[in-house]
Amino acid sequence: MPTFPRKPSRGKAWVTHGAVGAVALLLGVGIGISDDEARAEASDAGPTPRITVTKEVEVPGPEVTVTKTATVTAKPPKPPKPKGPPTTVAGDGEYLVGEEMRAGTYRTGGPGDSFGCYWERARNSSGEFDAIIANGNLEGSGRVTINKGEVFKSNGCQDWKKVG
């Protein structure tokens, strides 16, 4: 005769289902504990990066004006060069030194034409021979130093330029 399996008893079914439930519970608890340990290890590895978003917001209200005052002392302007007698004079003429030309040393390139260059330093403009301090005839370039108050005469020379 054929043998048929027997139906389990209800009491035995409760034990089987209870045992399966208990095993499932233990597995769940084990997995939970394992997850907590993994989180603890991750927190030991360092801080978790965080993202911060900043947004500018206008706040209504009066505008604030800040005024700073600074005192600056400016350098005084350079005094203008004194206007005075010129430092270059024509090769033909009679000049009062200090009024019509400045005192100092002057240079000329020499005669303005083939007849020569005559220069003269004088005490005054009288034209008398005794008024002459110094004079000369140049065939080439030359220099003359003149002092304030003297009269300088030049004839047939190129322009005289102050060099000292």
Side-chain angles (χ1 to χ4, degrees):
M1 185 163 150
T3 332
F4 292 102
R6 278 181 39 187
K7 262 187 166 179
S9 69
R10 282 195 180 257
K12 197 174 182 184
W14 279 104
V15 173
T16 307
H17 291 307
V20 170
V23 169
L25 178 66
L26 289 175
L27 280 174
V29 170
I31 291 172
I33 290 173
S34 171
D35 188 43
D36 288 341
E37 288 174 1
R39 285 187 189 163
E41 287 176 13
S43 67
D44 292 342
T48 305
R50 296 177 187 233
I51 298 173
T52 304
V53 177
T54 305
K55 181 178 179 183
E56 292 185 17
V57 178
E58 286 190 28
V59 177
E63 289 187 22
V64 177
T65 303
V66 177
T67 304
K68 289 186 178 183
T69 303
T71 303
V72 178
T73 304
K75 293 181 181 179
K78 291 182 180 179
K81 290 186 178 181
K83 301 238 180 205
T87 57
T88 301
V89 293
D92 287 327
E94 186 174 303
Y95 308 97
L96 179 58
V97 180
E99 288 185 22
E100 298 173 313
M101 68 185 294
R102 292 187 187 181
T105 302
Y106 285 78
R107 181 178 186 280
T108 184
D113 57 27
S114 60
F115 296 112
C117 168
Y118 173 77
W119 62 268
E120 178 182 300
R121 288 176 53 211
R123 292 183 195 6
N124 56 46
S125 60
S126 68
E128 296 178 11
F129 186 74
D130 291 345
I132 297 174
I133 300 169
N135 64 353
N137 286 302
L138 299 174
E139 293 183 19
S141 63
R143 291 176 182 247
V144 175
T145 300
I146 53 177
N147 302 307
K148 186 175 181 180
E150 296 177 349
V151 174
F152 180 72
K153 295 179 186 178
S154 176
N155 187 11
C157 303
Q158 295 181 37
D159 289 351
W160 292 87
K161 296 179 183 176
K162 191 171 187 295
V163 293

